[in-house]
Amino acid sequence: MDQLTREAVRYLGYGKNAVDDRTLQLAADSFENLRSVMSRKSVYRIFDLEQADAENIRFGNLEVRSKNLGRNLQGCDKIVLFGATLGIGVDQLLSRVSRRDMARTVVLQACAAALLEEYCDECQEEIGERLQAEERFLRPRFSPGYGDFPIECQNHVIRMLDSAKTIGLTITESFMMVPSKSVTAVIGAGTEQVMCHRQGCEVCEKKNCIYRRDSL
């Protein structure tokens, strides 16, 4: 089983349980179908980071109060605002399939999430290579809605990225992103290299890390 399939299986909630052949075949078919319709796009901007204390952060014209985010950004002097999407074609595929096959829809959802995560990792790798030239290193992505980072900040991040124009990503009044298989995040950058897992706290086994989100 390759890494991408393992991620999809994780999203499906199998844990350490064996995965049946039918599910694996559904996943393989789903990845093929998703790749035929997705249109990956991303955008990012870099801002100076002001951190008054452990909970109050300012970048651009946005002020945020978040203990979890403040911990994640400890030691950083720059912040990367990031947005990515798999495109509206994925939503259209999910809508079509959901009308006739819910089991396949569930697997499609998991595979789409895995593909989005993979794309975000690729983008972060490229951003990290650019910033290493300035002797700065990235922290894991941290999205509005994680821990005590207010979901309402999603609106501000999207405006600051001008994502509707740059990658076609918008947000509803209830903070749902359109296209749905999209993500926004902030990524801290500092001169200290901290060996955080780039996929974040959910898959990291270091339980006593000072950067770990309290909600986990």
Side-chain angles (χ1 to χ4, degrees), residues 19-191:
V19 187
D20 59 275
D21 290 341
R22 180 175 180 274
T23 299
L24 290 174
Q25 187 57 56
L26 274 174
D29 294 343
S30 294
F31 282 127
E32 182 178 351
N33 293 333
L34 287 163
R35 288 190 177 101
S36 71
V37 298
M38 70 182 186
S39 177
R40 307 190 309 177
K41 295 179 182 178
S42 66
V43 60
Y44 73 92
R45 291 184 65 191
I46 300 173
F47 294 85
D48 291 329
L49 173 64
E50 300 173 29
Q51 192 162 354
D53 53 42
E55 296 185 35
N56 293 285
I57 304 107
R58 178 182 176 87
F59 48 92
N61 59 1
L62 179 60
E63 293 185 9
V64 179
R65 183 178 178 84
S66 168
K67 182 178 179 180
N68 296 145
L69 180 60
R71 179 184 299 168
N72 181 271
L73 296 174
Q74 185 177 327
C76 296
D77 62 346
K78 299 284 185 181
I79 193 165
V80 181
L81 266 60
F82 171 75
T85 182
L86 296 184
I88 199 66
V90 170
D91 283 5
Q92 293 167 343
L93 174 63
L94 286 165
S95 177
R96 289 195 303 271
V97 173
S98 67
R99 290 194 288 267
R100 63 178 187 270
D101 190 339
M102 284 308 302
R104 185 174 169 227
T105 302
V106 171
V107 177
L108 270 172
Q109 290 276 8
C111 291
L115 284 168
L116 179 59
E117 190 75 12
E118 178 188 61
Y119 179 49
C120 290
D121 287 344
E122 291 173 6
C123 293
Q124 186 163 343
E125 190 80 27
E126 292 176 6
I127 297 168
E129 288 174 1
R130 171 187 166 180
L131 286 176
Q132 279 184 29
E134 303 173 15
E135 297 185 340
R136 284 187 174 82
F137 305 92
L138 296 181
R139 301 288 170 78
R141 298 184 295 278
F142 205 105
S143 293
Y146 279 180
D148 63 353
F149 184 13
I151 188 67
E152 292 82 3
C153 291
Q154 196 86 270
N155 276 324
H156 299 283
V157 172
I158 279 179
R159 282 200 298 269
M160 293 167 77
L161 288 170
D162 196 16
S163 66
K165 183 181 294 184
T166 53
I167 61 173
L169 172 58
T170 60
I171 190 168
T172 69
E173 291 183 0
S174 56
F175 308 110
M176 300 294 291
M177 284 184 284
V178 182
S180 64
K181 295 308 174 188
S182 305
V183 69
T184 64
V186 299
I187 311 169
T191 55

